[in-house]
Amino acid sequence: MATGGLHWETSAQVTLPPTSYKLQLFLSSESKTLVVLMSEQIYAVSLTSGKVKWITNLSNTNAVSYKYMHIDADHTYAIGITDGSHVTVATVNLETGKVTSQDSVAASWITPSTECEVLTTAKFVCFDTRMKHFYSLLLPEGRVFLASTLSDLALHATTTKDVMLAQLQDDTVALRLTPTHHALIRLDAAGAVHLTKDLRQVMVVGTTSAGNTPLVLTLSRSSTDTLKLMAYNLNNDMAVEIEDLINLPSNHGSPEKLFPYTFIRRESGFGYKLLISSEDHSAAFFSQAGDISWVREEALASIVSVEMADLPVSEIQAKFEEEFGSEHDDIVTMFNRRITTQLSELQLYISETLDRFLDNSKLTAYEKKKRALVRDDFNIHKIIVAVTTAGKIFGIDNLSGELVWQTFVPQLIPYQHGDTQTLPLFVMRTTAHFPHPPEYAVLGKHQVTGKGMLYVFSPISGRPLDIGITGIVELDYFVRHAFLLVQHDAHFLRPIILMDPDNKVYVYPPSCEDVLAETASQQYLFSADRDTGVLTGYNIEYSKSSGFVSSPVWTANLPRESQVIAHVVPKMANDHVHSQGRVLGDRSVLYKYLNPNLVVVTTEGKDEQEKSYVNLYLIDVITGQIVFSANHARSTGPVTIVHSENWVVYTYWNQKLRRNEIAALEMYEGKTQSNTTAFSSLAPPPPPIVERQAYILPYIVTAMAATVTEKGITNKHILLALADGGILELPKALLDPRRPINPTAEHRPKVQPKRKWTFWGTWRSSLEQPPAKEEGLIPYMPEISAPKEMIVNYNQSVFNIHGIHSAPAGLESTSLVFAYGLDLYCTRVWPSKMFDVLKDDFDYWLISVVLTALIFSSILLQKMAARKQLNAAWK
């Protein structure tokens, strides 16, 4: 304990998955033994040496699920349940591990979901949520459960879905009837239950001791941002010992757990310190004054959706948009508007200039923050909008990491796809369309009904938009699929298209239905069902009588029996393609296969010999055509994928060679382009030429992304989050599938000619290699060796990263990167160096002197030439 060093470590061999059993640990201080219950096995471990004293396997002939345990001086009692039948109590000798008895007690009411607790006073207590009965059993001699009803305790529960049971002190338990109604119940020596106190409007209950005084602390809502703290003395007929108000903002939701620490003051009374875990996954610590000492936003460790929002322009720049008014105004109105706007700009400029020199300490925190949230010259300062599984949304300053705003939507829960949770974030309007405000929307499920739910808000302030003061839109249908329409309305608002299980299509906001109606026949969408392995493409149809309806166009079946859909990855929405082709060594052009409707689908499964494999499919979701497929035998996931332009990069685990591998494939149309203006899936080019190659990757990758820039001119780099805490920036050129094994003259990098000074005073060129017909490909090496300089976070390790988001800056050379997971990390990268920015050591004085000298020289030479011309005219 003093040094934090590890004294011993012991492993337990358990073949069952962790979700199939409940782990129980008990410490016997007298025998210095740690007893662990795992499924049907009991381990006894010595605290001094860490050696396993004994292992006991409990006989399980009646499908008993052992979940609870109690320990006394000589014995360990393992308690198991059999659904709808009985409870089994196995008594095990603490010294030898021998099972001395195994008794069954009838309990036809018990189910795996029944709330049960083992009290320290050797009582097993359960609450049957169906019949609303209490049951208690004395250990170990009890053979019959003693039953009581809620009505016997003068209690009533309208619903039982929120019922929870928890031990507080010895024979006292807390029963939660509703989220705002608790009851304290005491068990006597015979196991009968008695109501100690009915706690109405109480949201959470905790227990502690101050000296020899056991206290029960409760929290209830006093006002929007205030909680009421009460402490009751269990030894003094529930007398009130502490009564105080605690300031907890409403954006943290309701408190869920209370961890109190109380002490006796020197003068009189009790003091306290509290740790409160809230509904939004935050942990707040409070001292005696009732104010927050610190808050940890643990929801930031469960981010599922990220966008980087551009900041609005300054007020002076915004005035420029108002100078010329509307195109429908006459010339007098436009002139008056321009003069008025310029006077307003002058007034605003003078005011801002004075504020820089005067004391601004009187400004509120909100006014200071508002002035700081202005777009810079290179658009590097942004707001990171992060959506978490807790239903909390954050606005994070990407330069300082400060939380600019936060909002909590209690009823919003994520969609569940296997082990993945999603809350899609839609950018309906950006800050580029002044004076219209930016608008974002989060789509999730309603916690109670399970139907669709939207939260519409401003990414700059986090405040709700359009829908009253809450910003919540409760949909009256279940959402099966949703996407953002490319087209926008007259106010530059892009609508969200939603489809329900009956294939009916809806538009949000409803005012944008005309936008979809104009292009309905050109709109396609697809869905991938992981449970059945079926991919389906739909076309939207519109009629005035039935509205918008989606009809199936194609179906692809990936049999669930042999493989499971793991990933469905479309192209990045903010990706830009600068060049449509690639120049080869012979100066010909190899045109890229740029299909915007291409989606990568990966599946994992086992063959007839029970050997794992990974399949990859490239599917055109407009026609359902499988453009390309690949199989990796003796391989397994987890698979991470990046899909951009005409290439796909993905990682997997090679079971045969026991190593991580990274594969890259690129698609080309050939040396002729079928359509130079636009790509059409309905009239596609011939099947693409696919170049692919795999490499050995000596790292474990947890997430992967590609850099994104403003115009797509800069070289692409692949960002890989590594399990050891690093973020690797890997040039895409290292993963080029066209890297030659035996380089020729056309493959070698271009060599500049060397110039030599000859005896006759002339320049002569010499070449080390043949003339410039080189493509610049790196020779193939099977292993990717990345130097430590490619780790962008240097020694600032970030762990358990499960996502990387890249966004463009105003500079073409710069890409903004945000990695999120257990840790957060934000930085800037320059894939092609800073070619559009002057270096820090640029010699401004020298260039100024040279320019000044050139200006004076040009003026002097101009006068001299004019004088010479005048003299020549007089001759």
Side-chain angles (χ1 to χ4, degrees):
M1 181 72 77
T3 62
L6 182 65
H7 288 284
W8 53 262
E9 181 178 1
T10 301
S11 300
Q13 301 297 327
V14 182
T15 58
L16 296 174
T19 55
S20 63
Y21 61 88
K22 185 175 181 180
L23 184 67
Q24 295 284 330
L25 289 89
F26 277 85
L27 179 64
S28 175
S29 58
E30 297 179 0
S31 60
K32 295 183 179 180
T33 303
L34 177 67
V35 183
V36 184
L37 172 65
M38 290 184 290
S39 184
E40 302 165 11
Q41 292 182 327
I42 301 179
Y43 288 78
V45 182
S46 171
L47 286 178
T48 55
S49 63
K51 294 182 179 180
V52 178
K53 288 185 174 181
W54 48 260
I55 301 175
T56 298
N57 293 310
L58 303 173
S59 60
N60 193 356
T61 57
N62 297 320
V64 181
S65 175
Y66 289 94
K67 293 185 175 182
Y68 307 96
M69 188 170 60
H70 176 68
I71 190 171
D72 59 20
D74 301 318
H75 295 91
T76 296
Y77 306 97
I79 304 171
I81 64 173
T82 301
D83 188 9
S85 178
H86 61 273
V87 170
T88 302
V89 180
T91 305
V92 182
N93 187 284
L94 191 57
E95 288 297 326
T96 63
K98 182 180 179 180
V99 179
T100 58
S101 66
Q102 202 162 357
D103 303 316
S104 297
V105 181
S108 59
W109 43 267
I110 199 162
T111 65
S113 60
T114 303
E115 287 286 333
C116 296
E117 284 287 338
V118 180
L119 306 185
T120 55
T121 54
K123 296 183 180 68
F124 184 57
V125 184
C126 295
F127 181 76
D128 180 16
T129 57
R130 295 173 299 176
M131 302 301 296
K132 302 178 183 178
H133 278 59
F134 267 106
Y135 295 92
S136 61
L137 177 68
L138 301 180
L139 299 176
E141 66 275 4
R143 295 294 178 266
V144 178
F145 276 95
L146 183 63
S148 303
T149 64
L150 280 182
S151 57
D152 296 340
L153 302 174
L155 296 174
H156 178 69
T158 57
T159 178
T160 56
K161 69 174 185 176
D162 297 316
V163 171
M164 289 183 62
L165 194 66
Q167 181 182 9
L168 293 180
Q169 289 277 350
D170 296 335
D171 286 325
T172 303
V173 296
L175 177 66
R176 189 182 77 170
L177 300 172
T178 68
T180 57
H181 185 192
H182 289 70
L184 299 184
I185 297 172
R186 181 179 56 83
L187 282 78
D188 58 22
V193 295
H194 305 277
L195 179 64
T196 301
K197 190 171 186 63
D198 188 9
L199 301 171
R200 298 184 180 274
Q201 305 302 321
V202 169
M203 295 183 291
V204 64
V205 177
T207 181
T208 186
S209 296
N212 296 323
T213 305
L215 298 174
V216 173
L217 286 80
T218 66
L219 289 175
S220 58
R221 180 67 66 182
S222 176
S223 63
T224 304
D225 295 329
T226 308
L227 298 176
K228 186 176 182 180
L229 172 67
M230 301 286 290
Y232 302 95
N233 192 333
L234 285 176
N235 291 344
N236 190 18
D237 296 330
M238 300 299 291
V240 177
E241 301 288 354
I242 299 175
E243 185 174 359
D244 203 353
L245 295 179
I246 297 212
N247 299 318
L248 183 67
S250 58
N251 59 11
H252 290 288
S254 301
E256 288 188 335
K257 292 183 180 180
L258 175 63
F259 303 94
Y261 168 73
T262 55
F263 52 90
I264 301 175
R265 291 181 172 181
R266 291 183 178 180
E267 55 275 11
S268 63
F270 296 90
Y272 67 88
K273 295 181 184 295
L274 303 177
L275 180 65
I276 299 176
S277 174
S278 299
E279 190 179 5
D280 67 334
H281 296 183
S282 66
F285 185 77
F286 297 84
S287 59
Q288 182 70 38
D291 295 326
I292 296 180
S293 298
W294 51 261
V295 178
R296 283 185 61 89
E297 298 291 349
E298 297 297 336
L300 288 170
S302 58
I303 295 175
V304 289
S305 296
V306 171
E307 289 289 345
M308 286 194 183
D310 295 341
L311 290 173
V313 296
S314 64
E315 294 185 31
I316 293 179
Q317 292 173 325
K319 293 291 183 180
F320 295 157
E321 301 288 340
E322 303 176 3
E323 279 195 22
F324 301 99
S326 173
E327 59 182 4
H328 303 291
D329 294 339
D330 56 20
I331 188 171
V332 176
T333 305
M334 293 176 65
F335 178 77
N336 291 335
R337 180 185 294 274
R338 185 167 185 178
I339 296 300
T340 305
T341 304
Q342 290 181 348
L343 290 175
S344 177
E345 290 175 15
L346 178 61
Q347 181 181 0
L348 185 62
Y349 175 76
I350 295 173
S351 175
E352 290 185 355
T353 304
L354 291 176
D355 289 340
R356 293 178 183 176
F357 296 99
L358 298 178
D359 181 22
N360 59 354
S361 59
K362 296 182 179 180
L363 295 176
T364 63
Y366 174 76
E367 290 174 342
K368 293 180 181 179
K369 188 178 295 183
K370 183 179 178 181
R371 292 191 177 189
L373 295 178
V374 175
R375 187 183 306 177
D376 57 308
D377 295 334
F378 298 134
N379 198 17
I380 293 175
H381 192 189
K382 293 178 183 283
I383 292 290
I384 301 172
V385 181
V387 184
T388 66
T389 56
K392 193 160 189 179
I393 309 170
F394 295 92
I396 309 172
D397 191 314
N398 74 318
L399 297 184
S400 63
E402 178 188 359
L403 295 181
V404 180
W405 55 264
Q406 51 183 291
T407 184
F408 178 56
V409 187
Q411 301 297 329
L412 187 70
I413 61 174
Y415 289 96
Q416 189 80 30
H417 303 288
D419 297 333
T420 306
Q421 292 180 317
T422 58
L423 281 169
L425 177 61
F426 299 102
V427 182
M428 301 177 65
R429 185 167 53 210
T430 66
T431 55
H433 307 291
F434 182 85
H436 303 291
E439 190 166 333
Y440 282 25
V442 177
L443 174 64
K445 292 194 302 184
H446 194 280
Q447 188 176 20
V448 178
T449 64
K451 296 182 178 180
M453 182 175 174
L454 283 167
Y455 178 71
V456 186
F457 63 98
S458 166
I460 307 303
S461 63
R463 296 176 180 175
L465 295 176
D466 296 340
I467 318 298
I469 60 174
T470 62
I472 297 174
V473 183
E474 295 186 12
L475 308 176
D476 58 354
Y477 51 86
F478 297 93
V479 177
R480 181 183 179 187
H481 188 71
F483 71 97
L484 195 65
L485 199 64
V486 176
Q487 294 79 11
H488 55 76
D489 64 1
H491 302 290
F492 304 99
L493 188 68
R494 297 173 61 188
I496 302 174
I497 311 302
L498 307 119
M499 185 178 73
D500 66 7
D502 297 327
N503 295 345
K504 187 171 177 58
V505 177
Y506 303 86
V507 181
Y508 178 82
S511 59
C512 293
E513 289 184 352
D514 294 339
V515 179
L516 179 60
E518 294 175 359
T519 60
S521 60
Q522 304 173 12
Q523 300 297 334
Y524 292 81
L525 61 153
F526 78 100
S527 64
D529 192 338
R530 285 181 168 87
D531 297 329
T532 61
V534 176
L535 288 84
T536 308
Y538 301 89
N539 178 227
I540 298 178
E541 299 175 351
Y542 173 71
S543 64
K544 293 184 178 180
S545 58
S546 59
F548 298 100
V549 179
S550 61
S551 57
V553 177
W554 59 267
T555 300
N557 187 13
L558 304 176
R560 169 74 179 180
E561 296 77 15
S562 59
Q563 55 188 335
V564 178
I565 297 176
H567 299 278
V568 180
V569 182
K571 290 189 176 182
M572 295 182 293
N574 58 348
D575 197 14
H576 301 281
V577 180
H578 175 68
S579 175
Q580 295 187 357
R582 177 172 182 168
V583 180
L584 303 181
D586 59 359
R587 293 296 182 264
S588 62
V589 177
L590 189 61
Y591 289 100
K592 299 176 182 178
Y593 181 80
L594 299 172
N595 186 347
N597 308 311
L598 205 62
V599 169
V600 179
V601 179
T602 63
T603 62
E604 299 177 24
K606 292 185 177 181
D607 57 17
E608 297 176 352
Q609 300 177 353
E610 292 298 317
K611 294 181 179 179
S612 301
Y613 65 85
V614 173
N615 284 343
L616 179 135
Y617 303 91
L618 300 180
I619 301 177
D620 189 317
V621 294
I622 302 297
T623 61
Q625 177 190 4
I626 298 180
V627 177
F628 175 78
S629 63
N631 171 263
H632 297 276
R634 301 285 299 273
S635 300
T636 184
V639 179
T640 55
I641 308 171
V642 173
H643 186 194
S644 177
E645 292 190 14
N646 67 319
W647 52 267
V648 178
V649 174
Y650 57 100
T651 64
Y652 56 91
W653 171 257
N654 189 323
Q655 284 186 327
K656 181 179 180 180
L657 301 175
R658 302 185 64 81
R659 67 191 185 194
N660 286 293
E661 293 182 357
I662 184 168
L665 61 89
E666 294 182 355
M667 294 160 286
Y668 298 94
E669 290 189 29
K671 295 190 177 182
T672 58
Q673 196 172 19
S674 59
N675 193 330
T676 59
T677 56
F679 187 95
S680 175
S681 293
L682 302 178
I689 302 169
V690 179
E691 301 274 359
R692 55 178 178 149
Q693 187 61 268
Y695 302 88
I696 302 171
L697 188 66
Y699 308 103
I700 300 175
V701 179
T702 60
M704 190 164 56
T707 57
V708 179
T709 55
E710 186 76 16
K711 302 297 181 181
I713 302 173
T714 305
N715 294 334
K716 290 284 186 180
H717 279 197
I718 309 297
L719 300 165
L720 300 96
L722 309 180
D724 62 2
I727 298 178
L728 178 65
E729 184 184 4
L730 198 64
K732 172 63 175 57
L734 291 178
L735 302 175
D736 195 329
R738 300 186 68 251
R739 287 177 60 178
I741 298 177
N742 298 313
T744 63
E746 293 184 357
H747 296 138
R748 296 190 185 106
K750 188 175 180 179
V751 178
Q752 296 294 334
K754 291 187 175 181
R755 300 181 180 273
K756 297 182 179 179
W757 182 260
T758 66
F759 176 77
W760 306 102
T762 59
W763 290 99
R764 186 179 66 188
S765 300
S766 64
L767 293 172
E768 291 182 350
Q769 294 178 2
K773 284 189 177 180
E774 298 81 6
E775 188 177 347
L777 294 177
I778 305 171
Y780 176 76
M781 291 288 289
E783 185 173 3
I784 298 294
S785 57
K788 294 299 182 181
E789 290 79 7
M790 291 185 178
I791 303 295
V792 297
N793 55 329
Y794 305 108
N795 63 339
Q796 299 177 357
S797 300
V798 287
F799 294 100
N800 290 354
I801 299 298
H802 57 253
I804 300 177
H805 181 80
S806 178
L811 293 171
E812 174 57 30
S813 64
T814 306
S815 180
L816 306 178
V817 177
F818 176 63
Y820 54 93
L822 180 63
D823 296 328
L824 305 180
Y825 183 76
C826 187
T827 187
R828 286 176 276 174
V829 295
W830 300 272
S832 298
K833 307 300 181 183
M834 298 181 66
F835 59 84
D836 52 359
V837 177
L838 294 176
K839 295 182 178 180
D840 294 336
D841 58 350
F842 183 78
D843 199 336
Y844 293 95
W845 287 105
L846 177 61
I847 196 67
S848 300
V849 171
V850 171
L851 288 176
T852 304
L854 288 175
I855 292 173
F856 280 109
S857 299
S858 61
I859 295 173
L860 181 61
L861 291 174
Q862 184 180 10
K863 291 185 176 181
M864 292 174 63
R867 181 175 298 178
K868 183 178 179 181
Q869 197 174 20
L870 181 61
N871 293 334
W874 280 101
K875 289 182 179 179

